[in-house]
Amino acid sequence: MAGKRTGLIGWPVEHSLSPAIHRYWFGQYGIDGSYELFPCGPGTLPAMVKELRAKNIAGFNITVPHKEAVIPHLDALDTISRQIGAVNTVVVADGKWLGTNTDAHGFTANLWESVGDMAPYLDSVIVLGAGGAARAALAALKEARAKRITLVNRTTDTAKLLAGQFGVGFEPWERREQALTQATLLVNTTSLGMKGKPPLELSLETLPRTALVHDIVYAPLETELLRNARKRGNKTVDGLGMLLHQAAGAFRLWHEVNPAVTAELRNHVLKAAA
Ligand code: ATR
């Protein structure tokens, strides 16, 4: 095939929405490209790397569980992926594999697009979780100059380490409801509430009604957290926009086209997910 080959490595990947997103843009912009799925189970990353090196590939995305494990296989890392400690996008340039991370930009772009002006929500931010998604959110929030950020996580050691690294506060999981009392923005970066995962047990009673609630989980689109928040009058932002905007970042790097994240794309992806 003449067009640029791109794709996604991860496990599992068969339900990924990324092919639907990238292929939609190929159609929109008349690009002769491909976006393939490369299922890569735990322990098989070195073999996959070898396979991909042998292919004439323009770049690829990386998802769970390889976002950190892929790093030793790369030729270079940019500043943002170094800061996050994880790579979600590789660009192949002159045979070199360059790692970057478009999740942080995706996080910010989605929030800006959803609320217009993020500034009123950046006074006191609560981030639930301390995994890769939390690191992307923290990098984005630091760049957006959030005034106070508090990390709340089940495992204290991981969270304390991360909080120290990013210069943010920390509260134990047991105190998550008390931590909400002055929040202007609440972000769930854990997988809790996702289809097939345990629920996020969190009473919003102490959360100011002026706070914005953002769940990076997008399946279901309206999580229990977002539903509860909406019902009590809080503004909410779902996680699909972050997925679309991180994809846009990768697409831009590979195809040198700045793809639009539109309502039509959202509907297209939601249909693909149904
Ligand atoms: P990702 O890299 O995609 O963010 P991850 O590294 O698996 O995913 O992180 C998942 C987050 O969800 C972690 O913060 C995890 O908390 P721990 O650090 O304590 O593992 C959080 N999480 C997962 N299951 C949880 C549960 N049952 N209760 C509370 N937090 C949970």
Side-chain angles (χ1 to χ4, degrees), residues 1 3-8 18-37 58-59 61 247 250-252 254-260 265 268:
M1 132 170 251
K4 283 187 177 173
R5 285 182 83 174
T6 61
L8 171 69
S18 294
I21 303 171
H22 286 266
R23 288 170 194 165
Y24 174 88
W25 285 325
F26 290 149
Q28 288 289 307
Y29 299 102
I31 290 171
D32 175 21
S34 70
Y35 191 96
E36 302 161 52
L37 292 177
N61 286 130
F251 194 91
R252 201 179 299 129
W254 298 329
H255 306 292
E256 286 147 30
V257 166
N258 192 11
L265 170 64
H268 173 79

Side-chain angles (χ1 to χ4, degrees), residues 64 68 128-134 153-155 158 173 189-192 198:
V64 180
E68 291 159 43
L128 303 178
N153 194 55
R154 176 183 57 178
T155 307
T158 340
W173 191 245
T189 75
T190 75
S191 49
L192 299 173

